[in-house]
Amino acid sequence: MENMPIGFAMNTIDDGEVKYMNNRFEEVYGWPREILTNTSIFFDKVYPDPDFREKMKTQIISDMQSGDPSRMNWKDLQIVTKSGEVRYVHAFNIPL
């Protein structure tokens, strides 16, 4: 799983704790797993602008709570890496 060509991470819904993150996820998002230990920290780091962060967090959480897999597919999400680089990612959330 560490060498998959796509980045993925698993976290618990109730407390947001990251249970697993592969190397590619770290590369894509530009943050080390030692920092992204829960979803709150993830939102704070990859969306540093507070207004944009709140907008994205509200949308993503709402989409996940819907239980509708078609709403858990986000294209061209603007994120910011640890170095300040702006990137655009395509993200999926799959509830297990």
Side-chain angles (χ1 to χ4, degrees):
M1 292 192 335
E2 281 300 316
N3 298 313
M4 296 287 293
I6 60 170
F8 65 92
M10 292 185 295
N11 60 277
T12 52
I13 297 289
D14 56 341
D15 62 5
E17 182 183 343
V18 175
K19 299 296 185 180
Y20 178 79
M21 181 183 299
N22 74 347
N23 292 332
R24 186 69 180 134
F25 190 95
E26 288 182 277
E27 292 169 8
V28 168
Y29 283 89
W31 288 91
R33 66 184 81 193
E34 293 81 21
I35 292 176
L36 301 181
T37 57
N38 66 52
T39 55
S40 292
I41 293 171
F42 172 85
F43 281 113
D44 288 346
K45 299 299 184 187
V46 302
Y47 303 117
D49 176 84
D51 293 331
F52 187 66
R53 177 187 320 125
E54 193 56 38
K55 175 186 171 196
M56 294 310 302
K57 191 174 183 179
T58 299
Q59 176 188 342
I60 290 169
I61 290 172
S62 173
D63 290 346
M64 289 173 50
Q65 288 176 337
S66 76
D68 180 356
S70 69
R71 287 182 54 184
M72 295 178 237
N73 179 357
W74 306 280
K75 295 182 180 180
D76 298 322
L77 284 179
Q78 180 180 319
I79 60 139
V80 178
T81 67
K82 184 177 181 186
S83 69
E85 177 186 357
V86 173
R87 293 183 181 171
Y88 294 87
V89 299
H90 185 169
F92 296 93
N93 277 356
I94 302 168
L96 301 176

